[in-house]
Amino acid sequence: MSVDANTGTTIWVVSDGRRGIENQALGLAEALEPRLDGPVQIERVVVRKDGFVTLPANSTPDIWIGCGRAAIPLAGRQRRIFPDCFFVYVQDPRSRHSDFDLIVAPRHDRLAGANVIPMIGSPNRVTGATLSHGQAGFTRQIEALPSPRATVLIGGDSKRFKLDTPAADYLEARLDALHAQDLSLMITVSRRTPEPVRDRFRRHFANRDRIWYFDGEGPNPYFAFLAAADWIFVTEESTNMLVEACATGAPVYVLPLSGTPGKFARLHADLEAHGAVRPYLGACDRWHYEPLQETQRVAEQLLARYRREQSFSTGKAA
């Protein structure tokens, strides 16, 4: 299907519905939207654990963007149903690479190929507009926290890292030390944070002066936390949260967990080379860098390849 200012473009965002997975595909779709001609419709497609797929009603995709393991086998089936659709996968699918017209892979995975665009980290939804809108929804709560303010993004267990008792001890002591420096803290845990750690941090940090502890109850202030931060501290295992923090322009520090970084050391090095991340040495320094705009860069390259493919399929010169 061609890009048509009259009919517009439909983008399917395909995942298992988990926020951290879906937001990568959604962030890329949202970055692509203003670059396309005519109206754009972004539709969610969710693959449930039992394999059932919820499809949008009366919708045919022009661009299909999937993320997460559940999306991979669906791509092969839907290519046969929608042969003119442009299929994109975010992350390294590890197999069936030819099922996709384009693969957007983390640079630290070192995936190469004619249909691969490497990027630092992963696509995300952080833009100046999302930060401003997010902060506007929590103005009163943010203003109640005296500046300066530090945002703390706490992840959890992964293949390489564990938020175990020693790691929790370290994080608690580190945050207490920051609080003692007269910083207001905006702390959020994630779905991967072990429940015992969530309970421990809730008991320790909730209801204290100059601390806003969010554990998932009520409206999510995540974008407000990013927007209002003078500094951002992020646990080292989360690619998504690291690149989202580095998209703000605020100084970023990485908090260690138990484990070894492996290939993620390359991601940390890329973020340090960009100027966003520095090691924390006990004092909060101020520095400036250009906010990481990898999602926007990849969207530009995706659009160029999409238009080239459509021009080829319609017999026009690229």
Side-chain angles (χ1 to χ4, degrees):
M1 296 182 181
S2 61
V3 180
D4 191 325
N6 295 318
T7 61
T9 307
T10 298
I11 304 175
W12 280 13
V13 170
V14 184
S15 73
D16 60 10
R18 286 180 293 167
R19 184 181 303 158
I21 298 296
E22 184 179 67
N23 276 353
Q24 295 179 53
L26 182 57
L28 187 54
E30 290 175 342
L32 191 60
E33 180 178 5
R35 293 171 164 83
L36 289 163
D37 300 321
V40 176
Q41 184 71 28
I42 298 176
E43 303 274 14
R44 294 178 71 236
V45 175
V46 177
V47 185
R48 299 190 326 201
K49 289 183 179 181
D50 61 5
F52 184 82
V53 182
T54 58
L55 295 175
N58 303 316
S59 175
T60 299
D62 299 292
I63 301 173
W64 187 106
I65 304 177
C67 186
R69 307 303 299 174
I72 296 172
L74 185 63
R77 298 197 300 270
Q78 293 194 335
R79 279 199 80 100
R80 295 189 291 271
I81 302 171
F82 308 114
D84 296 326
C85 182
F86 190 78
F87 281 78
V88 181
Y89 185 76
V90 176
Q91 297 180 352
D92 179 359
R94 300 183 184 177
S95 64
R96 307 178 68 162
H97 295 81
S98 61
D99 283 351
F100 302 99
D101 298 292
L102 188 64
I103 297 171
V104 178
R107 194 159 79 178
H108 59 264
D109 279 348
R110 293 183 172 174
L111 181 66
N115 64 336
V116 176
I117 295 178
M119 69 177 298
I120 298 175
S122 55
N124 63 80
R125 303 180 66 197
V126 177
T127 64
T130 57
L131 293 175
S132 296
H133 184 265
Q135 188 167 4
F138 296 92
T139 301
R140 180 179 56 81
Q141 297 95 317
I142 295 293
E143 290 180 348
L145 298 171
S147 60
R149 308 179 185 100
T151 286
V152 183
L153 310 178
I154 298 175
D157 295 345
S158 66
K159 291 181 180 180
R160 287 193 167 271
F161 297 100
K162 296 296 180 185
L163 209 177
D164 53 14
T165 298
D169 290 344
Y170 170 82
L171 292 176
E172 186 175 292
R174 173 62 72 205
L175 300 187
D176 281 343
L178 290 172
H179 193 240
Q181 296 178 34
D182 292 329
L183 268 67
S184 293
L185 301 182
M186 299 174 290
I187 305 170
T188 181
V189 294
S190 75
R191 295 181 181 183
R192 290 183 296 101
T193 308
E195 194 60 37
V197 177
R198 296 168 71 100
D199 290 342
R200 169 181 174 169
F201 287 173
R202 186 185 300 112
R203 291 192 303 269
H204 188 78
F205 293 112
N207 303 315
R208 291 174 60 182
D209 289 341
R210 295 184 292 110
I211 294 181
W212 182 356
Y213 177 77
F214 179 75
D215 63 357
E217 296 296 327
N220 191 340
Y222 183 78
F223 288 129
F225 281 10
L226 292 178
D230 295 292
W231 298 276
I232 303 176
F233 291 76
V234 190
T235 53
E236 65 180 322
E237 91 297 343
S238 177
T239 297
N240 289 350
M241 292 194 301
L242 280 167
V243 296
E244 286 165 352
C246 294
T248 66
V252 178
Y253 292 111
V254 178
L255 296 170
L257 298 182
S258 297
T260 55
K263 66 180 181 180
F264 293 101
R266 297 195 288 269
L267 170 63
H268 299 161
D270 281 339
L271 297 177
E272 289 183 9
H274 184 75
V277 171
R278 293 183 184 178
Y280 183 71
L281 303 177
C284 290
D285 296 324
R286 294 186 183 271
W287 69 90
H288 300 281
Y289 62 93
E290 189 68 26
L292 192 68
Q293 296 291 320
E294 284 287 273
T295 305
Q296 307 301 317
R297 178 184 66 83
V298 168
E300 288 283 358
Q301 294 190 31
L302 190 164
L303 179 61
R305 296 198 185 202
Y306 173 59
R307 284 177 167 158
R308 187 163 61 243
E309 179 68 22
Q310 299 313 299
S311 296
F312 176 80
S313 66
T314 56
K316 300 178 181 178

